[in-house]
Amino acid sequence: MDEDRGIPKHPWDTCREVPAIEDERTPWKMLKLLKTITLCVVAVFVFGLALCSKATFLLLITLSNEGTKTLPAEQKPVALLCIGCALITSSVLLLQKSLWKACYKSSKMPDKITVAMVLFFEFLVAMGAAILTIVAMPHLDIVTNVTILNGVAVLSALLQAITQCTAKERNRFLVPSIFAFLLILLGYVLFLFLYITKDPTDTKMIIWVGLAVGGSILVSFNWWENYLRLISENNSSVFLKALCKDVKKCQNMLHILSSLLRIAVTAGVLGAYVPLAKMDWYILTSIPSRETKMIAIIIGVQLISSALCHWFSLVACKMHALRRCFILPLHLASLAVMVLFIVPVIVYYEDYRISLNGTASSNFTGYCNEVVDGRNQSLNGSVFPQLVLDVTHTLCFLDMSKIFDIGMLTGSAVSWWLGLVLATLHLWFLSLYRIQRTQDLFVRRLYEGGFLEQSLLLNTRFDVQTTQKRKQFKPLDTVKVFLCATMWHETYDEMMNIIISIFRLDKYRPKVEEKNTDVVFETHIYFDDAFNDVPGSQGRHVNEYAEMLVIILREVYGVFLNMDRGLFIKQEQIPDQKIVTTPYGGRLVLTMPHGNSLVVHFKDKTLIRHKKRWSQVMYLYYLLGWKLSTKYFKREKHNTYILALDGDTDFQPAAVMLLIDRLKLYPLVGAACGRIHPTGSGPVVWYQKFEYAVGHWLHKTAEHVFGCVLCSPGCFSLFRGAALMDDNVMKRYSTKSSKARHHIQYDQGEDRWLCTLLLKQGWRVEYNAASDAYTNAPEDFKEFYNQRRRWGPSTMANVVDLLGSATLISQRNPSISKLYMLYQLISLAASILAPSTVILMIAGSLTVLLDIHPSVALVLAVIPPAIFLGISFKIKADTQIVIAAIMSIMYAFLMMIAAIIIIGNMVKDETILTPSSIFLISLAGFYLITAILHPQEIGLVVFGLIYLISIPSAYMLLAIYSMVNMNNVSWGTRETAPAAGAAKQEAAAPQTNAQKAKSTITRFFSRAKCCRRLCRTGSTEELIVSQDIQTMEATESEPQPQNSIVEDASLPEEEPSSRRESAFTCPNQSWVSQLQSLSDGMRLREHTLDVDEEQFFRELTARYLEPLPENKKKQKNMTEKLKDLRNKITFVYFICNAFWLIVTFTLQFLESTIFIKVPKIDFDLEFTGEYIYIDPVGFMFILSFVMLVLIQFIGMLYHRIYTLIHYVAFLDTEPMAINDEESIDLDDFSSGTMV
């Protein structure tokens, strides 16, 4: 029998229908182009900003030189003060950031010895920097000033050599470090020799030179921390180890103390060297405007360019462009500054020589005496020639016509520059993880404004790199990811999407036992209510949806198994898989083609509690409570993640890896969600496409930037195991709903409630815009309304819960502040007042359309929604939806007509400054700009028109429907039959003869189809036909109102077997034989469950998941409580809206006395002489709207930048498509991708 496994059962039927497997949505070519452009832009910015920073700093030093004439002597102290500002600006910024962290987060106090050591070194560095730049460098030439700053690497080069000598392995960069140290020393020797031998009697110059050398050596102590860690690791000294640990642990407090010390020392040197006591401070205000502008521009450019260069350097490192966009631009910046200063000097000197035409001596000394020093001190002409001559003056003490002077000066400059290059040579070979944090890459948060590129290069982490460094690169801990999908009544296409996504991920990260991988995946699908009774069978069978899933698994498995095989090549057969009977129903265990596991759990609602939240409780306790904690996986909880999925989610492997990056990068992130794209067709889906886009573009990004995301949707979110297992999270999530509000908060939006529990425990919830996932959206108006009927009240309940605990959450959660909670309060108030706001908008439209008084228009606008609200308490839910649909169409036409009239009035009146036109133009422009910043989704702007004309339906009619039907806690979507109670009531209703005949015929054919399917078909088409018949049978009669239903809608109860007469007995006597007969080409071997695991599930069911007994009395009591809660909340909700309308109505009557006068302008933005009158309430509403939009826009910009950074780094370190994986070496993934 086993020998026949290699022979296809139907060798003549080899043609296949292969579903779409490749990534057809992601524009990889455009993204590669975007990556190239981004890296080029970052490299140019790093180079340009470093050039500006250094050039302006050297200009300030040149202007403070005693012999320069651009600034008069009495104004030169101002230039020295600007140099001091450049030195302390970074310390001020670090102090502000550290103080904020000390107030916002916990900061530990260091030991006294640690404080003393750190402050001692900081004192030396601050003293050296101030002496070097303020005292010594103004007396040196420009070439020396450009390159002596490279000499600050002298101690770093020495410590590198010492660190590598103390290491036990052979290292690669010991020789370059020794040469770097020697070259820097050579530069100092040549510099001293040149200046001292030029005029040995000039005592002052000797002092300046000595101060320059001593200051630069003191500055080189700045990066001692970079080598302390490695020296302490290779040394047995307990003191060094304790010092290193304490410095890292108490970094924030040390930054505060060191910043204050640096500011004080710099100020002290300025006070001692610059005669501030005798200085006439009137000079600061009496400097001529031209000099004032020049100094302001120079110091402004210096400060801004230094801070921006530091930020762009961090961006370059985060993008994994360390060599292209960080090291190379910074090394070239010193050379570019040299060229920038020396070339104009040479050009001006040559022009002078040409102008003499041989009539006089044309040596450099004569040029200095005649042109440079003999010029006037006025700035009547251009500033640039004066600055060039000032730079030339610093070189005048040398005789540039002598080869000796030029050689000595060039030798010292080249020695210093090459010394810095060799001292940072190890950076070219530095190995980085894609998820490398900035604090792990840079030793200090501080940058030095005076010598920016040196501080950035030397501040980068130093590692002892051996000759076999890549093989010894420390791997990251392997991450275990459980993919957990919940299914119920998904269609064939929806199931196909998620199964293909799972198999695609299996191919992307194959499970290789003999090698360490960065990520290991295991998939679990939890199929709710999968069993039903079948006449003539001894056991329960799985329903048609479960059968469909097994067939899809077989089809997709075969496609992926033989994906690379041609049509006429022997096809590989699917290996045997396992089928297991469990205490909760059954289980199908598959080993996918590349080694990862896929387990389908079929749940029997008679054995275990059903519905989505309880399926989540089931896999949380099974995977985290049993497998992780007690059975298989003993590793740390922080390295175990759960990817929550819906049964129709379509995603790419890259989307999962991007979410994993967020959790690996930040240990306090408890959950991260991706960008959800609704799929489908029709106007309802088009509306949702734009609504989802706006929600993710603005709301989620603002939440991510200013606080935390409040809802990580269950269709595609990654959760940290440690966060879910934290106190008051998983335990409380398994709480049974016992109060009316529990049904709304716990069961109607379970993903939002889980995030609420995480936020309360101090975990951060994030949003990753580059992680795309696709899920089917409701295409029917009724299904859409029912879905939002669940989401709306649950969202409000969870936000109110968070606001009620605002003080506790802001103390416990470091990412949430009270200002952020205020933002959420304003957003909640805006959502509550949305219906009345829409009514005011409609009233404005009626005013424009009918040319009537605003008060009359307001009354007319209130009447339709008020009538709809009143009758909604008396009519069925389905009837409410029909009325809402009709009103939505009418309002859409009204909105279109009003928009056309507003545009026409703008043209007619030649003004845009009216409330309606301002709102329309600003809203359209705002959405357009936002869409442009999302180029991949810019096409969604087309659906913005549908979104705008649907505002009355979505924000007024839907709000009324959600509030009135709040007591209906049924799921509302994917329901193929009415609730049991409704079915029984409908069955009791009298039927006509025609209806009875139709019902009898339908039941006959439905049983025939069912029996034929169960006996052995394996045909997907027949499954779909049977599904359609069941749907038709279920929808023959309209269900009763569900306004008081407590439980979810379920399928009609099966009739007792005694009332059924089956024509024959089905041969499949159990669900096992049923699925075995369906799995043609994929044999299912029956196995037994492990004894310990079986006992676990029995205990879990008894404790948390026992099916709820049907208690009519309790259900009736809960129904009344839900109605009572509905009435209370609805009363408060609509009273608030009524109050808002009454206030507006009253102010319209008083418009002659209470108003805000705004001048009217035309299209040329010129005053027309007329005024527009706006009531204060309307003005405050517009102001609040503008503030919210502005906050969201700023958050969106910030989030877009960091999304781009993450995505560029991802593109540089991960394969871009599934086609590329054949050429990927698994070693690239063995330790978390590195460069």
Side-chain angles (χ1 to χ4, degrees):
M1 186 84 179
D2 291 336
E3 289 79 1
D4 298 335
R5 286 288 290 152
I7 303 175
K9 191 170 184 179
H10 303 292
W12 52 269
D13 189 14
T14 56
C15 297
R16 300 179 299 174
E17 182 180 356
V18 181
I21 295 174
E22 305 296 338
D23 184 4
E24 300 176 348
R25 293 188 175 102
T26 307
W28 289 113
K29 291 184 178 180
M30 187 188 79
L31 292 175
K32 289 175 67 176
L33 178 62
L34 177 64
K35 182 191 91 169
T36 303
I37 294 174
T38 303
L39 293 177
C40 292
V41 169
V42 171
V44 169
F45 268 98
V46 170
F47 173 77
L49 291 169
L51 178 65
C52 290
S53 173
K54 190 160 190 174
T56 51
F57 186 76
L58 292 173
L59 274 178
L60 289 174
I61 291 176
T62 302
L63 291 175
S64 62
N65 187 290
E66 293 177 353
T68 56
K69 296 187 176 183
T70 302
L71 279 183
E74 66 273 8
Q75 297 174 5
K76 290 187 183 297
V78 178
L80 294 175
L81 289 176
C82 291
I83 294 173
C85 289
L87 292 178
I88 68 171
T89 298
S90 59
S91 298
V92 172
L93 294 176
L94 180 61
L95 177 62
Q96 291 178 347
K97 185 174 182 179
S98 300
L99 286 174
W100 176 80
K101 286 194 171 185
C103 298
Y104 199 58
K105 301 178 181 180
S106 60
S107 298
K108 297 181 179 180
M109 290 298 298
D111 294 335
K112 294 180 180 180
I113 299 179
T114 304
V115 173
M117 287 286 294
V118 171
L119 293 185
F120 172 73
F121 284 116
E122 294 296 330
F123 175 79
L124 294 180
V125 172
M127 182 65 70
I131 291 174
L132 175 64
T133 57
I134 298 173
V135 179
M137 288 179 64
H139 301 90
L140 305 179
D141 66 279
I142 188 64
V143 176
T144 302
N145 285 340
V146 171
T147 55
I148 194 174
L149 298 176
N150 295 329
V152 299
V154 58
L155 186 63
S156 294
L158 179 61
L159 290 176
Q160 286 178 19
I162 294 173
T163 303
Q164 295 178 91
C165 288
T166 57
K168 298 178 181 179
E169 305 94 351
R170 291 184 58 190
N171 46 73
R172 305 169 64 185
F173 297 106
L174 177 60
V175 174
S177 297
I178 295 174
F179 270 100
F181 179 70
L182 296 177
L183 282 172
I184 295 174
L185 289 182
L186 177 62
Y188 283 129
V189 171
L190 294 176
F191 164 65
L192 291 171
F193 184 80
L194 174 64
Y195 270 81
I196 294 175
T197 58
K198 195 66 180 175
D199 187 3
T201 62
D202 191 351
T203 309
K204 286 187 176 181
M205 181 56 69
I206 295 175
I207 294 174
W208 304 137
V209 170
L211 289 175
V213 174
S216 62
I217 292 176
L218 289 178
V219 173
S220 64
F221 282 92
N222 196 17
W223 301 280
W224 63 276
E225 296 177 39
N226 203 353
Y227 311 98
L228 175 66
R229 172 179 55 87
L230 294 174
I231 294 176
S232 64
E233 289 177 359
N234 299 320
N235 197 295
S236 59
S237 173
V238 178
F239 171 75
L240 289 179
K241 294 181 183 296
L243 179 64
C244 181
K245 184 178 180 180
D246 201 32
V247 167
K248 186 176 181 180
K249 182 177 64 175
C250 309
Q251 199 174 48
N252 200 55
M253 293 303 300
L254 291 174
H255 281 158
I256 294 175
L257 298 175
S258 61
S259 299
L260 291 173
L261 179 64
R262 282 192 172 217
I263 295 171
V265 170
T266 306
V269 173
L270 275 171
Y273 181 69
V274 181
L276 298 177
K278 300 178 181 179
M279 180 178 175
D280 185 4
W281 291 96
Y282 179 69
I283 292 176
L284 295 175
T285 58
S286 63
I287 299 177
S289 60
R290 190 164 187 175
E291 286 86 342
T292 303
K293 288 182 180 179
M294 181 183 64
I295 294 177
I297 291 173
I298 291 175
I299 187 60
V301 170
Q302 205 285 328
L303 298 180
I304 294 173
S305 61
S306 297
L308 287 178
C309 184
H310 177 248
W311 185 80
F312 273 100
S313 299
L314 298 181
V315 169
C317 296
K318 285 178 176 291
M319 285 182 173
H320 278 241
L322 194 69
R323 305 175 187 89
R324 295 163 286 180
C325 302
F326 178 68
I327 304 173
L328 184 62
L330 290 179
H331 278 314
L332 294 178
S334 294
L335 299 179
V337 170
M338 182 72 73
V339 172
L340 184 65
F341 280 103
I342 298 302
V343 169
V345 171
I346 297 175
V347 170
Y348 275 59
Y349 175 57
E350 291 298 325
D351 288 343
Y352 167 75
R353 293 181 61 186
I354 293 173
S355 65
L356 292 178
N357 200 17
T359 60
S361 177
S362 60
N363 61 11
F364 189 74
T365 303
Y367 172 68
C368 289
N369 294 330
E370 182 178 346
V371 178
V372 178
D373 297 333
R375 60 194 162 114
N376 295 326
Q377 205 166 359
S378 62
L379 284 179
N380 295 326
S382 175
V383 177
F384 181 74
Q386 301 296 326
L387 294 176
V388 173
L389 294 177
D390 279 348
V391 170
T392 306
H393 171 77
T394 64
L395 297 169
C396 286
F397 82 102
L398 298 172
D399 189 354
M400 301 305 291
S401 60
K402 292 183 179 180
I403 300 298
F404 176 79
D405 289 359
I406 297 177
M408 295 293 288
L409 188 63
T410 304
S412 62
V414 172
S415 297
W416 279 326
W417 186 80
L418 286 178
L420 178 66
V421 171
L422 291 177
T424 56
L425 185 65
H426 65 279
L427 298 181
W428 292 87
F429 305 92
L430 187 64
S431 298
L432 301 177
Y433 299 109
R434 180 174 71 243
I435 58 172
Q436 197 84 47
R437 298 184 65 181
T438 305
Q439 65 188 33
D440 297 328
L441 180 60
F442 292 97
V443 180
R444 303 168 61 86
R445 297 179 193 162
L446 197 65
Y447 68 91
E448 305 296 337
F451 28 95
L452 182 65
E453 66 271 27
Q454 292 85 2
S455 67
L456 291 173
L457 291 169
L458 296 173
N459 191 32
T460 309
R461 189 193 72 228
F462 176 77
D463 279 334
V464 177
Q465 301 189 30
T466 62
T467 54
Q468 298 179 346
K469 182 64 181 177
R470 276 194 169 272
K471 294 184 179 180
Q472 297 181 3
F473 191 56
K474 183 180 179 181
L476 288 173
D477 293 332
T478 301
V479 170
K480 179 75 175 182
V481 179
F482 293 106
L483 282 73
C484 299
T486 54
M487 282 190 179
W488 184 34
H489 285 172
E490 279 72 20
T491 64
Y492 178 88
D493 291 334
E494 291 171 345
M495 290 185 186
M496 181 65 76
N497 285 337
I498 189 170
I499 297 303
I500 289 177
S501 299
I502 293 169
F503 276 79
R504 192 189 290 134
L505 186 61
D506 171 62
K507 184 176 182 181
Y508 188 82
R509 277 293 193 274
K511 185 178 181 181
V512 184
E513 297 293 344
E514 63 272 11
K515 293 186 178 181
N516 292 325
T517 55
D518 58 338
V519 184
V520 176
F521 295 101
E522 183 177 311
T523 305
H524 293 262
I525 298 176
Y526 289 80
F527 208 110
D528 241 329
D529 194 12
F531 289 84
N532 53 22
D533 291 323
V534 175
S537 174
Q538 295 179 358
R540 285 165 67 82
H541 283 208
V542 296
N543 58 27
E544 61 269 25
Y545 297 99
E547 290 180 338
M548 191 190 305
L549 176 61
V550 174
I551 292 174
I552 291 171
L553 285 171
R554 184 194 66 201
E555 292 178 357
V556 175
Y557 202 120
V559 169
F560 274 85
L561 189 64
N562 299 289
M563 181 180 295
D564 301 322
R565 293 174 178 265
L567 181 63
F568 300 103
I569 298 177
K570 183 179 178 181
Q571 301 294 301
E572 187 176 351
Q573 298 299 303
I574 301 175
D576 294 349
Q577 309 296 337
K578 300 176 183 178
I579 188 169
V580 183
T581 301
T582 62
Y584 55 83
R587 176 188 297 178
L588 188 64
V589 182
L590 278 72
T591 301
M592 290 184 282
H594 295 275
N596 293 294
S597 299
L598 168 60
V599 183
V600 181
H601 303 264
F602 295 111
K603 293 173 58 182
D604 189 341
K605 69 177 182 180
T606 63
L607 301 176
I608 195 168
R609 197 174 302 171
H610 66 294
K611 299 178 189 176
K612 184 175 181 178
R613 180 159 72 95
W614 300 116
S615 292
Q616 292 175 331
V617 171
M618 178 179 172
Y619 68 64
L620 288 177
Y621 276 97
Y622 173 54
L623 300 176
L624 299 180
W626 192 73
K627 293 190 76 170
L628 176 65
S629 299
T630 62
K631 189 65 177 175
Y632 298 123
F633 308 107
K634 301 293 185 181
R635 69 178 118 252
E636 187 183 358
K637 295 179 289 186
H638 277 274
N639 296 327
T640 302
Y641 307 148
I642 284 185
L643 181 64
L645 301 167
D646 277 352
D648 61 348
T649 305
D650 184 11
F651 61 91
Q652 295 294 327
V656 182
M657 299 303 299
L658 287 167
L659 290 183
I660 292 174
D661 281 352
R662 298 304 305 178
L663 269 67
K664 291 174 73 174
L665 187 62
Y666 301 107
L668 289 180
V669 174
C673 62
R675 166 70 166 95
I676 309 302
H677 300 264
T679 58
S681 60
V684 177
V685 177
W686 297 339
Y687 167 83
Q688 292 175 86
K689 283 179 179 287
F690 191 80
E691 182 200 31
Y692 271 68
V694 171
H696 286 86
W697 292 350
L698 299 172
H699 304 308
K700 265 195 167 37
T701 54
E703 290 180 347
H704 172 98
V705 172
F706 300 112
C708 284
V709 175
L710 300 190
C711 178
S712 189
C715 59
F716 190 70
S717 293
L718 190 68
F719 294 88
R720 188 185 301 275
L724 295 172
M725 299 176 72
D726 200 0
D727 296 339
N728 301 320
V729 179
M730 199 162 81
K731 183 72 173 179
R732 190 170 182 188
Y733 190 68
S734 59
T735 303
K736 186 168 61 175
S737 300
S738 58
K739 298 180 180 179
R741 62 180 179 85
H742 292 172
H743 287 281
I744 296 173
Q745 183 178 2
Y746 296 0
D747 299 326
Q748 300 294 283
E750 71 291 329
D751 46 5
R752 185 174 285 273
W753 184 46
L754 181 58
C755 290
T756 299
L757 297 176
L758 291 174
L759 294 175
K760 285 185 174 182
Q761 283 302 115
W763 292 96
R764 177 170 171 78
V765 181
E766 290 193 345
Y767 163 60
N768 191 320
S771 182
D772 296 304
Y774 300 83
T775 183
N776 281 31
E779 298 182 356
D780 181 65
F781 188 82
K782 174 184 175 181
E783 191 175 6
F784 170 72
Y785 257 50
N786 281 328
Q787 181 194 66
R788 300 309 168 93
R789 182 254 301 157
R790 286 191 290 112
W791 289 2
S794 69
T795 298
M796 194 176 301
N798 280 281
V799 173
V800 170
D801 187 8
L802 287 172
L803 291 174
S805 308
T807 303
L808 177 63
I809 294 175
S810 60
Q811 292 176 354
R812 183 177 294 177
N813 196 318
S815 298
I816 295 180
S817 64
K818 291 184 178 179
L819 281 177
Y820 177 70
M821 299 306 288
L822 177 62
Y823 165 78
Q824 290 297 335
L825 178 61
I826 296 174
S827 300
L828 177 64
S831 64
I832 291 175
L833 297 177
S836 57
T837 305
V838 172
I839 290 175
L840 293 175
M841 185 189 303
I842 295 170
S845 302
L846 292 175
T847 303
V848 175
L849 182 62
L850 303 178
D851 194 19
I852 58 178
H853 192 273
S855 301
V856 178
L858 181 59
V859 173
L860 293 177
V862 168
I863 292 175
I867 294 175
F868 178 61
L869 172 63
I871 64 175
S872 293
F873 286 94
K874 299 296 183 181
I875 60 178
K876 301 177 182 178
D878 289 350
T879 309
Q880 296 174 36
I881 292 176
V882 172
I883 296 174
I886 296 172
M887 294 180 68
S888 298
I889 296 174
M890 297 173 62
Y891 279 127
F893 280 110
L894 177 63
M895 294 290 290
M896 290 179 61
I897 295 171
I900 294 172
I901 293 176
I902 290 172
I903 296 173
N905 289 338
M906 289 166 53
V907 177
K908 178 182 176 182
D909 299 337
E910 296 184 352
T911 181
I912 59 173
L913 195 59
T914 63
S916 301
S917 58
I918 290 175
F919 179 79
L920 186 65
I921 294 173
S922 61
L923 195 64
F926 173 67
Y927 285 145
L928 183 61
I929 294 173
T930 304
I932 292 173
L933 293 174
H934 297 76
Q936 280 184 262
E937 306 174 41
I938 194 171
L940 296 177
V941 174
V942 178
F943 303 132
L945 178 61
I946 296 177
Y947 178 82
L948 290 177
I949 65 176
S950 301
I951 286 177
S953 176
Y955 291 93
M956 182 180 67
L957 301 179
L958 180 57
I960 294 174
Y961 177 78
S962 299
M963 291 295 106
V964 172
N965 295 276
M966 187 186 300
N967 58 317
N968 180 4
V969 293
S970 63
W971 201 248
T973 54
R974 299 191 187 278
E975 293 181 354
T976 57
K984 292 176 183 177
Q985 292 174 9
E986 194 65 31
Q991 292 182 330
T992 63
N993 292 332
Q995 289 175 334
K996 290 180 180 178
K998 182 180 178 181
S999 177
T1000 303
I1001 293 172
T1002 303
R1003 282 198 301 270
F1004 173 79
F1005 282 107
S1006 118
R1007 289 181 181 178
K1009 290 280 186 182
C1010 178
C1011 202
R1012 181 157 60 93
R1013 182 183 69 254
L1014 294 174
C1015 290
R1016 173 72 179 91
T1017 60
S1019 171
T1020 305
E1021 290 79 1
E1022 290 180 2
L1023 286 175
I1024 296 173
V1025 168
S1026 65
Q1027 176 184 348
D1028 293 340
I1029 288 177
Q1030 185 197 17
T1031 304
M1032 180 176 66
E1033 181 181 0
T1035 56
E1036 277 181 5
S1037 55
E1038 184 182 358
Q1040 296 296 321
Q1042 299 180 0
N1043 291 1
S1044 60
I1045 296 173
V1046 176
E1047 293 297 323
D1048 280 3
S1050 57
L1051 296 177
E1053 297 290 339
E1054 297 286 349
E1055 298 180 15
S1057 57
S1058 59
R1059 297 181 60 185
R1060 296 191 174 194
E1061 296 180 3
S1062 59
F1064 52 88
T1065 302
C1066 186
N1068 294 324
Q1069 293 299 306
S1070 69
W1071 71 275
V1072 174
S1073 58
Q1074 175 194 3
L1075 293 185
Q1076 287 175 335
S1077 64
L1078 280 174
S1079 55
D1080 185 20
M1082 183 178 71
R1083 291 196 299 190
L1084 302 179
R1085 300 284 191 180
E1086 187 171 8
H1087 287 249
T1088 58
L1089 191 65
D1090 179 73
V1091 177
D1092 294 337
E1093 190 170 348
E1094 181 176 357
Q1095 181 63 27
F1096 158 75
F1097 276 112
R1098 296 192 185 282
E1099 293 176 358
L1100 175 65
T1101 303
R1103 187 170 186 134
Y1104 294 109
L1105 299 175
E1106 193 172 5
L1108 297 173
E1110 186 176 357
N1111 190 319
K1112 297 293 185 182
K1113 184 177 180 180
K1114 285 186 177 181
Q1115 287 185 5
K1116 185 177 180 180
N1117 185 32
M1118 184 57 66
T1119 299
E1120 295 301 322
K1121 290 182 178 179
L1122 283 168
K1123 283 184 177 181
D1124 185 57
L1125 179 65
R1126 185 270 311 268
N1127 295 337
K1128 292 178 181 178
I1129 295 179
T1130 303
F1131 176 78
V1132 174
Y1133 185 87
F1134 290 109
I1135 281 294
C1136 292
N1137 283 272
F1139 176 78
W1140 179 254
L1141 292 174
I1142 290 172
V1143 170
T1144 305
F1145 185 79
T1146 304
L1147 289 174
Q1148 286 177 351
F1149 271 111
L1150 302 175
E1151 61 179 5
S1152 58
T1153 57
I1154 303 176
F1155 56 83
I1156 296 175
K1157 188 166 66 173
V1158 180
K1160 186 177 180 180
I1161 60 175
D1162 56 16
F1163 289 116
D1164 297 326
L1165 301 179
E1166 295 181 357
F1167 179 52
T1168 60
E1170 301 178 1
Y1171 292 92
I1172 296 173
Y1173 302 96
I1174 304 175
D1175 64 90
V1177 176
F1179 178 77
M1180 290 303 298
F1181 176 78
I1182 293 175
L1183 184 62
S1184 301
F1185 174 77
V1186 171
M1187 288 300 297
L1188 282 177
V1189 166
L1190 184 62
I1191 290 172
Q1192 292 175 353
F1193 189 77
I1194 294 172
M1196 183 264 296
L1197 285 177
Y1198 181 88
H1199 194 269
R1200 291 307 293 166
I1201 292 172
Y1202 280 90
T1203 299
L1204 178 64
I1205 293 171
H1206 187 188
Y1207 206 60
V1208 170
F1210 179 81
L1211 291 176
D1212 219 24
T1213 54
E1214 280 281 335
M1216 288 176 295
I1218 197 168
N1219 291 335
D1220 299 335
E1221 291 179 30
E1222 298 301 325
S1223 61
I1224 297 169
D1225 189 356
L1226 289 177
D1227 289 337
D1228 294 338
F1229 306 120
S1230 62
S1231 56
T1233 308
M1234 61 182 182
V1235 292

